[in-house]
Amino acid sequence: MAVPLAAPPGAVRAARGSGHRRGDGKAAAGFLAPSGAGFLAFTLIPVIGSLVISFFAWPVLGRRKFAGFENFTDLITDPTFHRVMLNTLVFVLAYVPLNLAVSLGLALWINSKIRWRGLYRLLFFIPTVTPMVANALVWRLLYQPNGLISQTWETVFGSPAPNFLGDPSWAMAAVVLMSVWQGFGYNMLVFSAGLDAIPNQIQEAASIDGVGPFRRLWSVTLPMLSPSMFFAMIMTLITSFQVFAQPQIMTDGGPGIATETVVMHLYREGFIQYELGTASAIAWYLFLIIMLVTALQFVGQKRWVHYDG
Amino acid sequence: MTADLATRSTVPAKPDEPPLRPTAQRLGPRGIFSQVLLTLVLLLFLLPFIWMLSNSVKPGDEVFSSGLLGSEVRLGNYGEALAYLPFGRFMLNGLFVSISGTIVVCVTSVLAAYAFSRLRFRGRGAIFMVYLATLMVPHEVTVVPLFILMQQLGWVNSYAALIFPWAFSAFGTFLLRQFFLSIPQELEEAAVIDGASKLRILVQVIVPIARPAIAVLAVFTFINYWNSYLWPLIIINSQEKATIPLGLSYFLSQNGNEWHLLMAGCAIAMAPTVLMVVLLQKHLIRGIAISGIGGR
């Protein structure tokens, strides 16, 4: 197994001669070579290649053929693709606000008069680093008919519990709930860091001026936290469009295709149907949507994000 | 273990400045209520983990019929899970891939970040912009061409395919470049006057200062490799090369009803990441504060 390469000694020796002012072209080539070569081979060329492949009918076995925009237009008219887009959108629209609300709420709570803050933060953070597949399996057990959640439901409501993962009207909600549980800890830490950075004097000044706690939260704390919130929102939106492992493990996209997401569809088209052209076109649709949503966020931020203060 | 986190948040920025917000020292009745309630929320939140551990030591037929404790505590389930599928093998594969990948990422990122932050050369800005631009591209865009590339290299079902495609992402370079830029250049001047080579300056002056940032990069890179699922699912087709998430999914598809063994497998899969987070929490928290790495 090849393990990495230090900078080529030749390049470094060459650099010693050349003066600082005159540029370090040769040294730079040496330092950049390992990263640059890998970046070119495994990131840049694949990104471009992906766009090229998306214009081909490209089966894994058999002859590939230029197809123009056919992959893209076929997808646009495919009811299955409509459904997986809709599923993903529903997931994003439910998951992102819930994630932000829970993470912000807990960050504020832990930042109030609470002991052992570090311990709480650490424990809430844990599911974000444990393998998603393992987290999803644990929840798959929790959601089983007659599992812990069903038993609790029956005790509390006295009526038979729905089959959470098997009922089309419950399955997506189940996936969202599990995802919020596993994912909010990260944003909670982002918000905690943001809260720690707010100088105490500002809170105190507002407090002396007779500003009540709710007003203080709304008019002082949240505006000062808005850059963190903007950052968290962007990152969470981007990653939530890429949701894959949770539905793959918990529902396998089912029942029917009620929880099949865009990335699951990409995986099926590309690596089960072996239609690599279609899979690439799906990836570019995903990329375009992510870019569009991110751009909209950046346009919208002027209205609510305060960078100075 | 958690002292770092706790003090970090409660100690005011300047030592001579009195703590203005009520600190955690005195808890009134409302404070105690809030603390108790938060602890209950935490326990509810931890319930999936507790349930996993409890079921991982139950007899198999009691998973759906007993409460937190079964009729006996069967630690043997762990041994049985390890024997059922080669979980030990999956762990070793995961460790090997994650550690190798992390080393490649750290070494190449340190070198490239040095070039971008300290060396003058033509096209520096343009090349860096290309790096930055790819940060926005979701991984899913590259999996198809990478799959074709792996076929052509003959790397399908190999460790190399698990390690290299993700070892040169722009992220590490970007993160470390930002950190290197914050290091004052004067610190290197003595070494420059002594005629030290650029590589020596990097290794002996910059890297020690940048250790916290490199640690952050290393921890998150390791965790990303360890947890990676989509790519191994695409490129690996044997138990011999499978990493932990893939191994768990094999287990699910082969015998998804053996919940007690499956839960033991999940606990085994989680252990290294939990251990890392507990041991390296200081770096993780700081890393999130300075970089916004990771992000789900």
Side-chain angles (χ1 to χ4, degrees):
Chain A
M1 211 55 289
V3 184
L5 350 136
V12 177
R13 218 176 300 126
R16 211 179 290 168
S18 69
H20 224 76
R21 300 269 138 65
R22 276 184 289 143
D24 316 295
K26 283 182 183 162
F31 281 102
L32 270 182
S35 162
F39 175 76
L40 207 62
F42 298 119
T43 302
L44 195 57
I45 292 174
V47 169
I48 298 162
S50 167
L51 191 58
V52 173
I53 294 165
S54 69
F55 290 106
F56 279 82
W58 193 309
V60 167
L61 301 170
R63 199 171 297 155
R64 49 185 176 262
K65 198 170 97 234
F66 184 72
F69 282 97
E70 215 170 279
N71 290 326
F72 291 94
T73 51
D74 283 355
L75 282 167
I76 278 288
T77 53
D78 174 10
T80 306
F81 188 61
H82 293 173
R83 184 61 205 262
V84 301
M85 290 285 265
L86 182 69
N87 290 340
T88 308
L89 201 64
V90 168
F91 176 84
V92 170
L93 287 178
Y95 171 76
V96 175
L98 277 172
N99 176 314
L100 292 173
V102 171
S103 54
L104 182 60
L106 274 170
L108 286 167
W109 193 354
I110 294 173
N111 246 52
S112 68
K113 306 173 205 173
I114 290 289
R115 283 185 202 208
W116 311 304
R117 293 171 183 189
L119 185 62
Y120 287 104
R121 286 176 184 170
L122 182 71
L123 290 172
F124 281 121
F125 183 66
I126 281 182
T128 64
V129 294
T130 48
M132 187 83 90
V133 171
N135 291 341
L137 278 172
V138 172
W139 278 78
R140 190 176 157 126
L141 172 61
L142 291 173
Y143 281 135
Q144 286 302 300
N146 213 14
L148 183 62
I149 294 176
S150 292
Q151 286 175 23
T152 313
W153 173 293
E154 277 155 24
T155 314
V156 174
F157 298 111
S159 62
N163 180 354
F164 295 101
L165 297 177
D167 180 336
S169 51
W170 280 94
M172 186 55 89
V175 172
V176 169
L177 178 66
M178 180 270 156
S179 301
V180 171
W181 171 82
Q182 84 85 33
F184 79 83
Y186 173 77
N187 284 337
M188 186 203 62
L189 283 190
V190 171
F191 293 145
S192 295
L195 287 171
D196 284 345
I198 296 177
N200 287 335
Q201 291 95 318
I202 294 180
Q203 295 282 358
E204 195 225 11
S207 177
I208 288 171
D209 288 346
V211 179
F214 276 108
R215 193 64 211 291
R216 215 152 62 210
L217 175 67
W218 187 252
S219 307
V220 180
T221 310
L222 291 185
M224 294 201 70
L225 203 57
S226 58
S228 302
M229 288 163 69
F230 176 63
F231 169 77
M233 195 168 186
I234 294 259
M235 297 301 289
T236 309
L237 264 172
I238 292 177
T239 51
S240 62
F241 274 105
Q242 296 166 274
V243 55
F244 173 72
Q246 305 94 304
Q248 169 87 5
I249 293 294
M250 286 199 296
T251 64
D252 199 17
I257 55 167
T259 53
E260 186 166 323
T261 62
V262 172
V263 178
M264 283 182 75
H265 194 57
L266 184 160
Y267 172 74
R268 288 190 176 176
E269 286 293 326
F271 304 100
I272 294 182
Q273 308 293 335
Y274 289 121
E275 290 295 341
L276 297 180
T278 311
S280 286
I282 296 172
W284 277 84
Y285 271 128
L286 179 72
F287 184 24
L288 288 175
I289 292 169
I290 287 177
M291 276 202 294
L292 186 71
V293 170
T294 309
L296 285 176
Q297 290 293 309
F298 270 92
V299 172
Q301 68 160 328
K302 290 185 193 105
R303 304 172 62 175
W304 64 279
V305 182
H306 304 262
Y307 279 106
D308 44 11
Chain B
M1 241 15 290
T2 54
D4 279 306
L5 274 171
T7 50
R8 190 178 165 280
S9 55
T10 50
V11 167
K14 289 173 209 146
D16 55 344
E17 172 188 303
L20 296 170
R21 259 179 296 177
T23 52
Q25 303 313 314
R26 271 180 295 146
L27 291 174
R30 277 179 62 191
I32 290 168
F33 176 72
S34 171
Q35 185 97 39
V36 170
L37 199 60
L38 181 61
T39 307
L40 289 177
V41 170
L42 178 69
L43 285 176
L44 185 65
F45 166 85
L46 291 176
L47 194 58
F49 289 137
I50 298 167
W51 197 244
M52 169 188 80
L53 291 174
S54 125
N55 280 296
S56 73
V57 292
K58 278 184 196 170
D61 54 0
E62 292 178 20
V63 169
F64 291 103
S65 59
S66 60
L68 213 47
L69 284 176
S71 58
E72 54 174 316
V73 172
R74 268 200 204 167
L75 290 172
N77 284 354
Y78 282 83
E80 214 181 309
L82 285 169
Y84 188 87
L85 275 185
F87 267 105
R89 175 88 200 199
F90 302 154
M91 291 277 278
L92 286 178
N93 288 342
L95 283 174
F96 176 69
V97 166
S98 307
I99 291 173
S100 316
T102 304
I103 292 172
V104 180
V105 166
C106 288
V107 172
T108 58
S109 300
V110 162
L111 292 172
Y114 179 75
F116 281 126
S117 64
R118 286 294 193 273
L119 303 182
R120 294 145 171 267
F121 55 94
R122 261 206 281 167
R124 181 171 81 169
I127 299 174
F128 188 65
M129 280 311 290
V130 175
Y131 266 68
L132 269 189
T134 62
L135 278 181
M136 280 208 48
V137 182
H139 281 168
E140 288 78 9
V141 169
T142 56
V143 293
V144 167
L146 282 174
F147 173 71
I148 295 169
L149 181 62
M150 296 299 116
Q151 281 185 318
Q152 281 167 357
L153 291 171
W155 283 7
V156 172
N157 201 35
S158 72
Y159 292 124
L162 290 173
I163 296 168
F164 289 112
W166 314 107
F168 305 94
S169 106
F171 186 80
T173 302
F174 173 69
L175 177 79
L176 294 184
R177 172 197 179 256
Q178 299 308 100
F179 196 88
F180 288 1
L181 284 177
S182 72
I183 301 173
Q185 295 226 8
E186 291 83 67
L187 292 174
E188 295 145 48
E189 266 162 21
V192 172
I193 291 165
D194 286 351
S197 71
K198 292 193 162 55
L199 188 59
R200 249 186 78 191
I201 294 174
L202 175 61
V203 171
Q204 295 188 342
V205 182
I206 296 183
V207 166
I209 300 172
R211 212 181 289 150
I214 298 171
V216 168
L217 178 63
V219 172
F220 278 102
T221 306
F222 181 94
I223 289 173
N224 280 343
Y225 270 106
W226 182 263
N227 293 348
S228 169
Y229 177 52
L230 177 61
W231 179 246
L233 191 62
I234 290 170
I235 208 67
I236 297 300
N237 52 37
S238 74
Q239 290 190 3
E240 208 181 308
K241 297 281 161 56
T243 52
I244 279 272
L246 199 55
L248 284 174
S249 79
Y250 288 160
F251 201 139
L252 176 69
S253 56
Q254 285 182 15
N255 213 336
N257 293 325
E258 303 275 8
W259 283 107
H260 57 307
L261 301 185
L262 207 44
M263 289 302 108
C266 287
I268 295 170
M270 290 177 182
T273 51
V274 173
L275 192 70
M276 260 187 113
V277 169
V278 171
L279 291 178
L280 300 171
Q281 48 170 303
K282 192 175 63 177
H283 292 307
L284 283 165
I285 309 295
R286 187 165 33 187
I288 285 164
I290 63 173
S291 70
I293 218 171
R296 283 181 186 164

